[in-house]
Amino acid sequence: MQRHIDTQIQALRQEFITMGLEVKASLEKAIQAVKEDDQVAAKEVIEHDEIINGHEIHLEKKTAQIIALQSPVAGDLRETISILKASSDLERLADHAVSIAKSVLLLKEEYRDEQIDAMIGQMGNNVLEMLSSILKAYTEVDDKLAVQIAAKDTGNDELYLKIRERTLSLIKSKPKFISEGIDYLQIANHLERSGDYITNIAEWIVYTKKGKITELGRNDL
Amino acid sequence: MEKEKIITSQNVHLYYGEKEALKGIDLDFPKNGIHALIGPSGCGKSTYLRCLNRMNDLIDNVKITGAIKLDDEDIYSPKMDTVELRKRVGMVFQQPNPFPFSIYENVVYGLRIAGVKDKNLLDERVETSLKQAAVWDDVKDDLHKSALALSGGQQQRVCIARVLAVKPEVILLDEPTSALDPVSSNKVEEMLLTLKNEYTCIIVTHNMQQASRISDTTSFFLNGNLIETGPTKQIFVNPTKKETDDYLSGRFG
């Protein structure tokens, strides 16, 4: 039996995925901008944020309406709450993409370090891969996949520590590197936080499926 | 900590002639609080509710097996006095059913049958019960007018006062607000919330929001079986059985 609430939740799901794909595109572009020192792309990421914020606000309105008018319970309720919560995680992810783009505008070409660039590239790929898979896990309400994705966040935390170590040693030997060093650290930090938000989304997938509020891969720095 | 049980039922089967309406119900109720019984029409929830104060005895051709105990006493034992039982386990019906007497006489009806003659005691019980039933302010100046002149919502609360006047331990409510408007329903709900600390209320309701708003535990019946029972907040957020989820979400029923 097709219920009225089914069509409404279906519309929420679709908008959530659309928003997820937009966030992924922003993050991808921001990471690409870091790699290629692409200032134009960085500015585009910053401008695009408004559209993503608009999706979050719209999803908040729609979920509030469903809760007030349709009184969802059980599975419907869990899915509605998960979309509400996970959409703010997506919005935060997009904010990190914006912050990375802003750092690109500050980083100076002449002080770049190949090793750090490589590690940031690796971290960026890992985060993007996690984000693509989490959108898949969300669509299929696959809690097992969600748990696997969250486990990948450890890789980001390890890379972050390595980047930090390398940056600090460069700053010590080359005091002029300090400003770039801070930008690099910030980029790495934003990527690390992005991994945490993807882990949050994984937790909401588990909640939708199992009704359990869990803490996945808590190894925050 | 396990709460003290006031009613326990084990393997309760009920047959209307050949038809098996309850197919082995095991269900216990902790003392005090509000317990909701939900399920689609014909699932057996009202039949089960009526077993708890032997209202089904009045129907021909009914056979009940299994055990239902009130404070560890078998209520179907031949030694059980049904008048005494129904005093301890009162019932409120879907349609308000005041007797065609004054409000006062409605409330003291049970006490008069029990032989209470002390006017002060009767007056005191009328006032307390009507206050507990949240209808005192509506009727205090018209206690000797006919209960039939009241609105449906007021009548229902007078009927609840009539049950409370005999100081029951358990109050059974069979869709007590389905004939009432939202404002009156809300008054009955608020009243039940004030009663639940002293009484065990077991309510059959088709109104899912009502069950989720006021009950502490919820039991879901389907086709004569008890599918799931548990704390209301668990049943409405994360039921363990698919049938429960489907029913609550309106996929059938």
Side-chain angles (χ1 to χ4, degrees):
Chain A
M1 188 176 80
Q2 175 82 3
R3 301 164 308 151
H4 189 48
I5 194 174
D6 288 331
T7 18
Q8 299 193 345
I9 290 183
Q10 184 57 31
L12 281 187
R13 266 183 220 139
Q14 270 164 7
E15 179 159 10
F16 181 82
I17 288 296
T18 308
M19 181 179 174
L21 294 171
E22 303 240 17
V23 171
K24 187 179 158 248
S26 268
L27 200 57
E28 215 160 14
K29 204 180 246 185
I31 290 165
Q32 199 61 28
V34 176
K35 279 184 195 158
E36 294 167 7
D37 192 27
D38 186 341
Q39 312 257 325
V40 178
K43 282 179 189 148
E44 282 171 10
V45 170
I46 297 166
E47 282 159 15
H48 191 63
D49 197 43
E50 220 170 286
I51 294 176
I52 291 169
N53 291 345
H55 278 302
E56 194 208 5
I57 291 168
H58 190 246
L59 279 170
E60 278 171 350
K61 265 191 207 157
K62 286 287 159 192
T63 45
Q65 269 174 23
I66 291 182
I67 291 169
L69 305 178
Q70 303 292 329
S71 309
V73 289
D76 294 333
L77 177 70
R78 299 203 302 275
E79 183 160 13
T80 310
I81 287 177
S82 292
I83 289 177
L84 180 65
K85 297 288 287 181
S87 66
S88 62
D89 291 327
L90 278 182
E91 193 273 333
R92 296 301 298 274
L93 268 165
D95 287 345
H96 286 296
V98 167
S99 301
I100 291 169
K102 285 182 179 161
S103 298
V104 171
L105 300 178
L106 296 171
L107 260 182
K108 287 197 193 73
E109 184 73 36
E110 61 264 36
Y111 290 113
R112 300 210 40 167
D113 178 75
E114 250 177 55
Q115 271 191 46
I116 298 180
D117 279 335
M119 286 190 284
I120 284 192
Q122 211 183 328
M123 216 175 158
N125 289 343
N126 196 22
V127 167
L128 287 174
E129 211 182 288
M130 281 172 74
L131 182 53
S132 307
S133 323
I134 209 73
L135 293 176
K136 180 171 181 276
Y138 172 80
T139 315
E140 291 163 9
V141 203
D142 186 340
D143 59 313
K144 289 195 184 90
L145 179 59
V147 172
Q148 284 167 19
I149 295 163
K152 285 190 181 165
D153 197 34
T154 324
N156 295 328
D157 299 338
E158 285 163 10
L159 275 166
Y160 175 74
L161 288 176
K162 280 188 194 162
I163 291 168
R164 185 169 181 273
E165 204 177 316
R166 167 91 187 147
T167 312
L168 289 179
S169 82
L170 282 176
I171 291 175
K172 275 181 200 151
S173 58
K174 243 193 313 185
K176 274 192 174 169
F177 186 73
I178 193 156
S179 149
E180 276 58 42
I182 290 172
D183 293 334
Y184 268 134
L185 268 184
Q186 274 182 344
I187 292 174
N189 190 247
H190 290 307
L191 288 173
E192 192 274 326
R193 294 298 297 149
S194 300
D196 293 343
Y197 283 112
I198 296 169
T199 305
N200 286 351
I201 299 174
E203 291 168 0
W204 290 114
I205 295 170
V206 173
Y207 177 69
T208 304
K209 180 86 176 227
K210 295 266 172 82
K212 269 189 271 178
I213 306 232
T214 41
E215 286 270 309
L216 295 175
R218 277 293 150 228
N219 42 11
D220 290 359
L221 295 165
Chain B
M1 202 185 74
E2 187 79 342
K3 277 184 84 180
E4 188 193 339
K5 302 269 190 272
I6 186 158
I7 289 182
T8 60
S9 38
Q10 272 180 327
N11 199 23
V12 174
H13 289 258
L14 181 143
Y15 305 84
Y16 291 120
E18 292 294 303
K19 191 187 176 315
E20 189 179 21
L22 294 176
K23 302 172 183 169
I25 305 295
D26 295 307
L27 183 57
D28 298 344
F29 296 95
K31 196 169 160 55
N32 298 345
I34 301 175
H35 311 285
L37 309 181
I38 60 168
S41 300
C43 68
K45 58 191 187 302
S46 292
T47 298
Y48 173 74
L49 189 78
R50 286 198 301 268
C51 289
L52 302 181
N53 72 346
R54 294 185 55 174
M55 292 295 277
N56 290 320
D57 289 16
L58 310 173
I59 303 168
D60 288 342
N61 215 9
V62 162
K63 194 179 111 199
I64 300 169
T65 64
I68 298 178
K69 289 179 182 166
L70 172 67
D71 284 333
D72 275 334
E73 256 178 282
D74 181 357
I75 68 166
Y76 283 91
S77 143
K79 281 181 284 175
M80 178 60 74
D81 170 358
T82 50
V83 173
E84 179 63 16
L85 171 69
R86 289 176 194 144
K87 200 183 120 198
R88 292 171 67 191
V89 184
M91 188 151 199
V92 178
F93 299 86
Q94 179 172 5
Q95 285 297 333
N97 55 351
F99 301 132
F101 332 131
S102 70
I103 295 164
Y104 187 97
E105 285 306 319
N106 263 278
V107 178
V108 299
Y109 189 77
L111 297 167
R112 289 223 195 272
I113 287 183
V116 179
K117 293 205 172 71
D118 178 348
K119 173 109 175 33
N120 289 336
L121 176 64
L122 293 175
D123 286 352
E124 182 272 319
R125 209 61 84 71
V126 166
E127 181 170 344
T128 314
S129 308
L130 289 169
K131 277 182 176 163
Q132 280 181 310
V135 69
W136 173 250
D137 289 338
D138 299 30
V139 301
K140 63 180 181 219
D141 300 325
D142 304 310
L143 290 178
H144 298 286
K145 286 193 182 156
S146 168
L148 297 175
L150 298 170
S151 75
Q154 290 168 332
Q155 287 184 7
Q156 190 65 310
R157 281 175 283 145
V158 168
C159 293
I160 293 169
R162 188 174 64 197
V163 169
L164 293 171
V166 296
K167 300 202 167 164
E169 294 162 57
V170 179
I171 305 169
L172 308 177
L173 303 110
D174 194 353
E175 295 191 51
T177 64
S178 60
L180 307 185
D181 68 86
V183 175
S184 302
S185 297
N186 193 33
K187 282 187 183 156
V188 172
E189 286 182 17
E190 291 295 327
M191 179 207 68
L192 290 175
L193 287 170
T194 63
L195 294 180
K196 74 170 199 169
N197 297 322
E198 291 170 66
Y199 300 90
T200 305
C201 305
I202 304 174
I203 178 170
V204 161
T205 178
H206 275 133
N207 182 335
M208 294 302 114
Q209 266 79 53
Q210 179 169 71
S212 65
R213 269 195 301 267
I214 64 171
S215 71
D216 300 294
T217 66
T218 297
S219 305
F220 172 55
F221 284 70
L222 185 65
N223 298 328
N225 293 301
L226 173 67
I227 303 295
E228 184 168 1
T229 187
T232 299
K233 46 183 179 275
Q234 181 239 314
I235 299 280
F236 278 81
V237 176
N238 193 20
T240 58
K241 297 281 168 36
K242 187 174 181 303
E243 293 99 314
T244 315
D245 193 323
D246 286 349
Y247 177 69
L248 290 175
S249 327
R251 288 190 182 84
F252 71 82

